[in-house]
Amino acid sequence: MTNLSGQTLRYYDRIDLFKPIYTDALTNYRYYTESQLYTLDLIKSLKYVGTPLDKIKEVQHYAVEDMIPFLEEQEKRIENQLAQLKEAQYILRKTRKQMLEQLSIPSFGEVYEKREDASRILCLEVTNVTAESTSAEDTIKLMKAIENEGSVQTTRYGSIYPLKNYHSISDIIYQFIFIPILTEKSIELAEDNITVRLMPSGRYASIAFVYSPKAYIEHYKKLYAYIEKKQIQTEMDVFEIVMPMHYSPNKEEQVIVELKLKIED
């Protein structure tokens, strides 16, 4: 009748949550009245929505008028949990999308064009920072800022710098370093040098390669030559995306760098 096991009913009896109306001293059989099913329904309902047993023990002694604000409180708690689950689902989708984009890179070492959706990025303004001198402290600042907003850091990070005819990787001076924002929520920031920017939707000319200082400048020059040869109009900012090749602690650490420029359609 209750869809509960005898073990559960015995446990509820032992902790004084739901006691039988009578227990036979000889057989130790427990007897319940039909009217007790109403109490048990309340216990099962509150337990289903995650109310602790100690709180249920207290609540079952409430008057009906006192029960209403308690149930409203439980409803708000569940609404918050649903919002957190929705947020978690959104983050999973964004992370999966990033990995699919990595797998869909058509070729390494060659320029390709692709269309991308707009995405928000959390940017830290920096000075005198290059690919060879990026500080972990800067990335940690961004990580803390995003986690303070109740979200998580992505497995990617990046930078923004002007499009120029660079001859050495040390000549490339970052204006911003960034991490993609995985949350849908608005971001409130306390530090003036951290801002939310939009990586616009549109068509991008891109090149991807396994990072080394030598490979970086070689592939940058290849992208720059592609832009000049085709006389492509660009937004004049280079987006550098850094992503792991794998997540195994047993393999040598390697990262993929993707350089991309928004081009006019």
Side-chain angles (χ1 to χ4, degrees):
M1 290 178 67
T2 65
N3 202 30
L4 292 175
S5 67
Q7 182 181 2
T8 299
L9 289 171
R10 287 191 292 272
Y11 176 66
Y12 286 176
D13 180 11
R14 190 163 65 250
I15 65 173
D16 295 327
L17 176 64
F18 183 71
K19 302 187 74 65
I21 200 70
Y22 166 71
T23 302
D24 189 306
L26 182 62
T27 64
N28 209 32
Y29 284 179
R30 292 164 171 80
Y31 294 89
Y32 301 86
T33 64
E34 288 189 14
S35 61
Q36 286 184 283
L37 291 175
Y38 295 111
T39 302
L40 196 57
D41 284 342
L42 175 66
I43 293 171
K44 290 164 64 178
S45 297
L46 293 177
K47 187 173 182 294
Y48 182 78
V49 298
T51 308
L53 294 180
D54 286 345
K55 187 64 178 179
I56 297 174
K57 189 187 299 185
E58 174 190 333
V59 167
Q60 63 182 335
H61 299 292
Y62 283 8
V64 173
E65 57 269 24
D66 297 323
M67 189 74 75
I68 292 173
F70 169 76
L71 294 176
E72 290 174 345
E73 181 183 324
Q74 299 307 296
E75 186 176 356
K76 289 178 183 177
R77 179 176 60 83
I78 291 172
E79 286 174 353
N80 290 335
Q81 290 175 342
L82 288 172
Q84 290 175 351
L85 286 172
K86 183 179 179 183
E87 174 76 1
Q89 182 186 45
Y90 182 83
I91 289 171
L92 284 172
R93 285 176 177 170
K94 291 282 284 187
T95 304
R96 180 167 57 88
K97 183 174 182 289
Q98 286 180 347
M99 292 182 177
L100 288 171
E101 288 172 351
Q102 180 174 332
L103 290 175
S104 67
I105 292 174
S107 60
F108 280 76
E110 300 297 331
V111 179
Y112 52 90
E113 295 185 17
K114 63 176 180 177
R115 177 168 292 279
E116 295 196 13
D117 297 329
S119 60
R120 293 192 304 161
I121 53 178
L122 188 65
C123 298
L124 173 67
E125 189 173 1
V126 291
T127 55
N128 298 322
V129 174
T130 71
E132 297 177 296
S133 66
T134 304
S135 168
E137 293 181 1
D138 291 335
T139 306
I140 289 171
K141 286 180 183 178
L142 291 171
M143 178 187 71
K144 287 183 176 178
I146 202 72
E147 289 182 351
N148 287 341
E149 294 298 316
S151 189
V152 293
Q153 183 187 5
T154 180
T155 56
R156 293 182 172 191
Y157 59 92
S159 64
I160 303 172
Y161 56 87
L163 175 68
K164 295 180 182 179
N165 188 16
Y166 299 108
H167 299 288
S168 167
I169 189 172
S170 58
D171 295 332
I172 300 174
I173 308 297
Y174 294 161
Q175 295 174 318
F176 300 92
I177 63 171
F178 69 84
I179 58 176
I181 297 174
L182 299 183
T183 178
E184 286 185 301
K185 298 186 296 187
S186 60
I187 304 290
E188 296 181 7
L189 301 165
E191 297 188 47
D192 292 337
N193 62 340
I194 298 181
T195 56
V196 175
R197 296 186 62 179
L198 188 69
M199 188 180 294
S201 63
R203 194 157 188 82
Y204 284 78
S206 307
I207 191 167
F209 53 92
V210 178
Y211 174 78
S212 73
K214 181 180 179 182
Y216 193 109
I217 196 64
E218 286 178 354
H219 288 86
Y220 176 85
K221 286 181 176 180
K222 188 176 286 190
L223 178 62
Y224 188 86
Y226 180 89
I227 297 296
E228 283 207 320
K229 181 178 180 180
K230 291 185 172 287
Q231 298 182 333
I232 295 174
Q233 298 297 315
T234 76
E235 297 287 330
M236 303 303 291
D237 274 339
V238 180
F239 291 94
E240 171 199 290
I241 309 294
V242 180
M243 62 197 89
M245 284 190 69
H246 58 79
Y247 299 90
S248 172
N250 301 321
K251 295 181 179 180
E252 180 184 357
E253 182 180 355
Q254 288 184 304
V255 296
I256 297 171
V257 175
E258 183 182 39
L259 305 177
K260 55 188 180 181
L261 288 157
K262 186 176 182 299
I263 59 180
E264 295 192 2
D265 295 321

